[in-house]
Amino acid sequence: MTGTSLTGKFRLAVIQLQVTGVKADNLSRARRLVKEAAGQGSRLVLLPECFNSPYGTSFFSTYAERIPGESTQVLSEAARENQVYLVGGSIPEEDDGKLYNSCTVFGPNGELILKHRKIHLFDIDIPGKIRFQESEILSPGNSLSMFDTAFCKVGVGICYDMRFAELAQLYSRKGCQLLVYPGAFNMTTGPAHWELLQRGRALDNQVYIATASPARDETASYVAWGHSAVVNPWGEVIAKAGAEEGIIYADIDLQYLAGVRQQIPITAQRRDDLYTVTSVQEGSS
Amino acid sequence: MTGTSLTGKFRLAVIQLQVTGVKADNLSRARRLVKEAAGQGSRLVLLPECFNSPYGTSFFSTYAERIPGESTQVLSEAARENQVYLVGGSIPEEDDGKLYNSCTVFGPNGELILKHRKIHLFDIDIPGKIRFQESEILSPGNSLSMFDTAFCKVGVGICYDMRFAELAQLYSRKGCQLLVYPGAFNMTTGPAHWELLQRGRALDNQVYIATASPARDETASYVAWGHSAVVNPWGEVIAKAGAEEGIIYADIDLQYLAGVRQQIPITAQRRDDLYTVTSVQEGSS
């Protein structure tokens, strides 16, 4: 236990990485920014969805790696060198002939402590705006994913996973006080829903929510909305990026979280005699 | 079936009533405004929480009535005279020595078609801001509450019930396309959470949400936030009151709702193999 955890506070950093088509550049810039975030006192660092590859079904097989592999090796070293928990956004993962959208989490010693494969594949069709069918290429994960830190328990989802309230409900019931969602919303769903979903998950479950998007690249086939953010358990945005590459910081305050739950005690007032949210299959971690 | 229902559209009205200490005035003004709303083509009309009585634990026993009683008689007549579905906000109900915060719903023939007793009593304590303990005086209801109309199925909650996501999730899974919440948020929780909760419930469940607050009365012991609203399944506020007495209107468009569910098909993409929301006790209606 560290002094930081005894006060119930720790600093979180979200890296809104500019992702390019050159994997080596993505990895080296991610590594440099993790170091910068750690230098600012961050104990947990979050990278965006698909941080080593452009986002798009045509790119996944080209950029896919096994785990462990080149990209996760960089993540492991970055975590160890900087003594941080590193939520490695996601990468296209190849395993046994199938592709997944997978998030790996590394502890301060560089050990892999979690792998989350995106549960809900992003299949939407908004005529004249955006059509995207991840399931044409990817296979879904089949587990909830939580990990313990020295500070609090953390639940992990990737992008579209955030639309499904049950996942956040289960994570918070299982003791998570922070939920992280690497994600790449687009120019249609981003302005409409990105922040609303985060604030709703935070308020309904009285947890912290952190999201990490790639920076916006107007020349990409899929243009990410950006606006990575951190929301507190009162539903307030406490840190927020624009569209550009950068790092945002927020202090996660577990005493503040406890205070919110005491003031509006919905976690104790739920009517378990009338309804229940249950996990059919217990998650990893 | 009416022409209105065949097009998949119907007009809803929310009455943001100025509630006073004079019950007869509250009833007569409510009746007049229901008539006005019906005159504008509304087929479903929503009144605020505690529309016949000031809101506060010190008032409930004084203003409480049995159901049927004086206030529900007025509601029944207003529904029948104007041929509308009337969601009668709520009133303090007395039954068998206990008090409840109860919403009654009347059909266009004036018949009582639903009674919802507030499930989640409002007990909060935000130091220096607001302390309120409904449970010191009231008993909770024990059922989910839905009713059918010629247009769609409707789920009912009262105020604090809206904070509990499970209720809305169950209503929408059981086929409700509109959820109504008479409610009286206050000057602390109103600006922080009132609209966010509505937009979150609407987006997460891809349903319409309508809320009815009393108008603001700065001289009351409990000052209501006002800002009654209607939110569409995309999470957009499509009608919104200020702080004053008035009626707001919105067209509930079930084809639009179906379109949203087709574009972002989360209702079909839920991972029932991983999690589930279930009602422990089946609701009324």
Side-chain angles (χ1 to χ4, degrees):
Chain A
M1 298 288 281
T2 68
T4 310
S5 70
L6 286 176
T7 67
K9 271 193 195 178
F10 66 98
R11 178 161 288 188
L12 174 151
V14 175
I15 296 174
Q16 183 163 292
L17 189 73
Q18 185 75 63
V19 177
T20 73
V22 183
K23 188 193 278 189
D25 286 353
N26 296 328
L27 294 177
S28 64
R29 212 163 47 262
R31 189 170 196 153
R32 180 174 58 74
L33 291 169
V34 171
K35 185 175 181 182
E36 181 181 329
Q40 296 297 315
S42 307
R43 309 299 300 269
L44 192 152
V45 180
L46 178 58
L47 284 166
E49 182 180 23
C50 219
F51 83 95
N52 70 344
S53 154
Y55 183 75
T57 49
S58 65
F59 301 106
F60 293 149
S61 63
T62 307
Y63 288 78
E65 298 178 17
R66 304 188 71 80
I67 294 176
E70 178 191 1
S71 296
T72 56
Q73 181 62 29
V74 170
L75 294 174
S76 168
E77 291 170 12
R80 183 174 46 76
E81 287 163 8
N82 298 291
Q83 296 279 297
V84 295
Y85 291 93
L86 179 56
V87 179
S90 77
I91 65 170
E93 177 196 6
E94 191 270 316
D95 184 26
D96 207 13
K98 290 185 178 175
L99 296 175
Y100 302 90
N101 188 339
S102 300
C103 174
T104 51
V105 181
F106 295 85
N109 296 324
E111 74 281 22
L112 176 68
I113 57 177
L114 184 85
K115 181 170 75 175
H116 174 73
R117 288 171 168 169
K118 193 175 191 173
I119 297 172
H120 304 91
L121 296 180
F122 178 52
D123 290 346
I124 74 169
D125 186 1
I126 305 175
K129 299 283 189 179
I130 183 165
R131 181 179 184 279
F132 202 99
Q133 303 287 318
E134 251 185 351
S135 65
E136 289 172 353
I137 301 292
L138 300 183
S139 297
N142 295 310
S143 294
L144 308 187
S145 301
M146 292 164 274
F147 64 95
D148 285 307
T149 70
F151 319 110
C152 70
K153 196 170 178 180
V154 181
V156 179
I158 300 176
C159 201
Y160 203 57
D161 285 339
M162 188 163 61
R163 286 199 180 264
F164 298 82
E166 297 86 347
L167 191 61
Q169 288 168 306
L170 285 171
Y171 285 156
S172 68
R173 276 159 188 66
K174 291 171 185 287
C176 296
Q177 295 176 297
L178 166 66
L179 309 186
V180 295
Y181 294 95
F185 273 41
N186 54 69
M187 301 299 287
T188 298
T189 59
H193 298 153
W194 174 245
E195 186 173 296
L196 174 57
L197 286 166
Q198 297 173 59
R199 294 184 63 209
R201 298 286 166 270
L203 178 62
D204 285 344
N205 301 292
Q206 299 181 323
V207 294
Y208 282 91
I209 301 285
T211 57
S213 169
R216 192 177 303 167
D217 175 1
E218 301 279 3
T219 69
S221 59
Y222 182 96
V223 181
W225 171 241
H227 293 295
S228 303
V230 183
V231 183
N232 74 15
W234 190 253
E236 294 169 319
V237 177
I238 56 172
K240 185 176 174 177
E244 313 297 316
E245 181 169 277
I247 307 177
I248 59 170
Y249 299 93
D251 289 326
I252 304 300
D253 184 342
L254 302 174
Q255 289 184 355
Y256 175 78
L257 182 149
V260 168
R261 291 186 176 189
Q262 191 163 29
Q263 291 170 8
I264 305 184
I266 52 172
T267 52
Q269 293 164 326
R270 287 199 193 95
R271 293 293 302 269
D272 297 327
D273 57 327
L274 295 182
Y275 50 72
T276 177
V277 183
T278 49
S279 60
V280 175
Q281 171 192 326
E282 288 304 306
S284 57
S285 170
Chain B
M1 298 288 281
T2 69
T4 310
S5 69
L6 286 175
T7 67
K9 271 193 196 179
F10 67 97
R11 178 161 287 188
L12 173 151
V14 174
I15 297 174
Q16 184 162 292
L17 189 74
Q18 186 75 62
V19 177
T20 72
V22 183
K23 188 193 278 188
D25 286 353
N26 296 329
L27 295 177
S28 64
R29 211 162 50 262
R31 189 170 195 153
R32 179 173 59 72
L33 290 169
V34 171
K35 185 176 181 180
E36 181 181 329
Q40 296 297 316
S42 307
R43 310 299 300 271
L44 191 153
V45 181
L46 178 58
L47 285 166
E49 182 179 24
C50 220
F51 84 95
N52 70 344
S53 152
Y55 184 75
T57 49
S58 64
F59 301 107
F60 293 150
S61 64
T62 308
Y63 287 78
E65 299 178 17
R66 302 188 71 79
I67 294 176
E70 178 190 2
S71 296
T72 56
Q73 181 62 29
V74 169
L75 294 174
S76 169
E77 290 170 12
R80 183 174 46 75
E81 289 164 7
N82 297 290
Q83 296 280 295
V84 295
Y85 291 93
L86 179 55
V87 179
S90 79
I91 65 171
E93 177 195 7
E94 191 270 317
D95 184 25
D96 207 14
K98 290 185 176 174
L99 296 175
Y100 302 90
N101 188 339
S102 301
C103 174
T104 52
V105 181
F106 295 86
N109 296 324
E111 75 281 19
L112 176 68
I113 56 177
L114 184 85
K115 182 171 77 176
H116 174 73
R117 288 170 168 169
K118 192 176 193 172
I119 297 172
H120 304 91
L121 297 179
F122 179 54
D123 290 345
I124 75 169
D125 187 2
I126 304 174
K129 299 284 187 177
I130 183 165
R131 182 179 183 280
F132 202 99
Q133 302 287 318
E134 250 185 355
S135 66
E136 289 172 353
I137 300 292
L138 299 182
S139 297
N142 295 310
S143 294
L144 309 188
S145 301
M146 292 165 274
F147 64 96
D148 285 306
T149 70
F151 318 111
C152 70
K153 195 170 178 180
V154 182
V156 179
I158 300 176
C159 200
Y160 203 57
D161 284 339
M162 187 162 62
R163 285 198 182 264
F164 298 83
E166 296 87 346
L167 190 61
Q169 289 168 306
L170 285 171
Y171 284 157
S172 67
R173 276 162 189 63
K174 290 170 184 288
C176 295
Q177 296 176 296
L178 167 66
L179 310 187
V180 295
Y181 294 94
F185 273 41
N186 54 69
M187 300 299 285
T188 299
T189 60
H193 298 153
W194 174 245
E195 186 172 296
L196 174 57
L197 285 166
Q198 297 174 58
R199 295 184 63 209
R201 297 287 166 268
L203 178 62
D204 285 344
N205 301 291
Q206 299 182 323
V207 295
Y208 282 91
I209 301 285
T211 57
S213 169
R216 192 176 304 167
D217 175 2
E218 300 280 2
T219 69
S221 59
Y222 181 96
V223 181
W225 171 241
H227 294 295
S228 302
V230 183
V231 182
N232 73 14
W234 190 253
E236 294 169 319
V237 177
I238 57 172
K240 186 176 175 178
E244 313 296 315
E245 181 170 277
I247 307 177
I248 60 170
Y249 298 94
D251 288 326
I252 304 301
D253 184 342
L254 302 174
Q255 289 184 354
Y256 175 78
L257 182 149
V260 169
R261 290 186 177 189
Q262 193 164 26
Q263 291 170 8
I264 304 183
I266 52 172
T267 52
Q269 292 163 326
R270 286 197 193 96
R271 293 292 302 269
D272 298 327
D273 58 326
L274 295 182
Y275 50 73
T276 176
V277 183
T278 50
S279 60
V280 176
Q281 172 191 326
E282 287 304 305
S284 58
S285 174

